[in-house]
Amino acid sequence: MEIEHQSHEEIKHSNNSDNIVMETHRALKMRRLFLLFINILFVLIGGTGGPLLIRSYFRHGGSRKWFSGFVQTAGFPFLLIPILFSFLRRRHTNSRLFLLTPSLLFHCIVIGLITGLDDYLYSYGVSFLPISTASLIISMQLGFTAIFAVFMVKQKTNSYTVNAVVLLMFGSMVLAVHANADLPNGESKAKYYIGFVLTVGAAIIYGMVLPFVELIYKHAKQEVTYALVLQMQFIIGFSATVVCAIGMALNQDFHAISRESKHYGLGVSKYYLVVFFTSVAGQFYFLGIVGTIKYSSALLGGIIGAVCIPITQILAVFFVHEKFDGEKGIALALSLWGTTFYFYGKYKEHDKSKASPRESQLLPGGGGR
């Protein structure tokens, strides 16, 4: 009788332990889902607001490409607030203020240098293109992200992903062969093509950066917490800003800013407001991207970037009064079609596997540490 009672108690204790483990796992999963959602929201805010502000800068008289690249990452000091808050929360369990190892610091600097160059190319390209056209070209980034992710982080792919890449590339090709109807006022066809090529170059480079960040997460010899992600983005932003600052110095942009603001079409105060909010939007975007990669994958980060495109298309018509013709409509449709292919493929993949979060990149934690 005593043995039966003891056995019953052991079973009850085991069931309670299992329930606690399940509840803990569910709570952690919901927390990761919430943080993934927040970071996706950051990408959407920065990925739609940033391009509009950059184009507004060039549209109303701004002409400094290095300066435009500079302001995209110059908002990195804003990250000191959440970094300090994070330190105060964990100081009783981890008193280290600086969490990056020398190896991780080096890789973040490298990514920052590449990002600085990418910002310059993007700014140069956007200065010659309507924002709607530039955004659709940037949609090619998803295709390059998918290709680099396969080779760099062994990202699983399928026919849906391949179809998405092909459709997005066709969308950009449609824009390339219809340049005459899309030339901004006062700009030549040659400048249009220069802008097109440089923007494609920016898409290729950043398509490589995203899997590179995921690769760093996978091989980091420490726990990748969100506090670490914040510090990584701080170093990346600082390094990218230094690259553009050097370019500004060589191009004598620092001396030209005051003069440029006085001749800005919207006035001096709005000139500095555009600059300020471009910096804010840039931090939203870059922080959201590295966060999305942590809680999901580089490929999902690229997808969310592509989702920004139709939003930017609509906002560009209302806020910067750009036309939206048939060619852009076709390119936008191909872009949305390609994005839909990707999400449907991931849905089918998850539905088939019913696997753990690491086997489905659409689940929080998939592809992360």
Side-chain angles (χ1 to χ4, degrees), residues 22-277:
M22 290 177 64
E23 287 296 324
T24 302
H25 177 72
R26 188 179 295 111
L28 289 173
K29 184 177 179 180
M30 290 302 298
R31 181 175 180 272
R32 292 181 70 90
L33 181 61
F34 173 75
L35 290 173
L36 176 61
F37 171 78
I38 292 297
N39 282 281
I40 287 175
L41 186 62
F42 284 171
V43 176
L44 291 173
I45 293 172
T48 55
L52 289 171
L53 289 165
I54 294 169
R55 184 55 192 167
S56 180
Y57 165 78
F58 287 112
R59 187 183 184 91
H60 297 286
S63 61
R64 300 287 164 174
K65 281 76 173 180
W66 279 113
F67 178 53
S68 177
F70 174 87
V71 298
Q72 291 178 54
T73 54
F76 70 90
F78 292 128
L79 296 177
L80 288 173
I81 298 173
I83 287 174
L84 180 60
F85 179 74
S86 173
F87 170 71
L88 293 175
R89 284 191 60 190
R90 71 169 192 280
R91 69 184 187 280
H92 297 299
T93 56
N94 188 349
S95 59
R96 290 175 57 201
L97 175 61
F98 197 68
L99 300 175
L100 276 71
T101 62
S103 175
L104 201 55
L105 175 63
F106 171 76
H107 286 107
C108 287
I109 291 174
V110 172
I111 292 175
L113 298 178
I114 296 172
T115 301
L117 175 62
D118 181 75
D119 289 343
Y120 172 71
L121 292 177
Y122 177 70
S123 296
Y124 209 110
V126 169
S127 69
F128 293 143
L129 298 174
I131 189 59
S132 51
T133 302
S135 297
L136 287 168
I137 295 172
I138 285 294
S139 71
M140 292 179 68
Q141 177 185 304
L142 172 59
F144 295 119
T145 299
I147 293 170
F148 285 120
V150 169
F151 292 102
M152 294 176 68
V153 295
K154 310 303 179 185
Q155 174 75 48
K156 293 181 179 179
T157 187
N158 52 41
S159 60
Y160 296 101
T161 303
V162 174
N163 285 334
V165 171
V166 172
L167 288 167
L168 288 165
M169 288 187 172
F170 267 117
S172 294
M173 288 170 64
V174 168
L175 296 174
V177 298
H178 286 88
N180 287 331
D182 199 32
L183 293 176
N185 293 331
E187 289 183 7
S188 66
K189 189 174 180 180
K191 287 186 176 181
Y192 180 96
Y193 281 120
I194 291 172
F196 185 91
V197 171
L198 292 178
T199 308
V200 170
I204 294 173
I205 291 174
Y206 208 69
M208 178 185 66
V209 166
L210 301 186
F212 190 15
V213 172
E214 184 175 352
L215 187 65
I216 290 174
Y217 288 159
K218 286 180 177 292
H219 293 282
K221 296 179 180 179
Q222 62 187 110
E223 182 183 3
V224 181
T225 62
Y226 200 65
L228 182 66
V229 170
L230 286 169
Q231 294 191 12
M232 287 178 63
Q233 179 52 37
F234 182 88
I235 298 300
I236 292 170
F238 172 78
S239 303
T241 304
V242 168
V243 170
C244 293
I246 293 172
M248 287 179 64
L250 294 175
N251 201 43
Q252 299 184 339
D253 284 0
F254 288 105
H255 300 291
I257 292 173
S258 177
R259 183 172 64 253
E260 185 176 74
S261 67
K262 294 175 182 177
H263 295 90
Y264 192 63
L266 299 178
V268 176
S269 60
K270 289 187 178 179
Y271 175 87
Y272 288 109
L273 282 176
V274 168
V275 169
F276 174 78
F277 283 110

Side-chain angles (χ1 to χ4, degrees), residues 295-350:
Y295 293 112
S296 184
S297 69
L299 197 53
L300 181 59
I303 285 293
I304 301 304
V307 169
C308 293
I309 292 168
I311 302 174
T312 305
Q313 301 298 309
I314 297 170
L315 294 177
V317 173
F318 290 102
F319 290 100
V320 291
H321 308 294
E322 292 186 350
K323 60 183 178 180
F324 193 87
D325 53 23
E327 286 76 24
K328 288 183 184 177
I330 293 172
L332 176 58
L334 290 171
S335 176
L336 293 174
W337 190 7
T339 304
T340 303
F341 253 112
Y342 172 82
F343 277 114
Y344 183 71
K346 283 299 177 183
Y347 166 76
K348 294 288 287 184
E349 183 181 293
H350 174 59

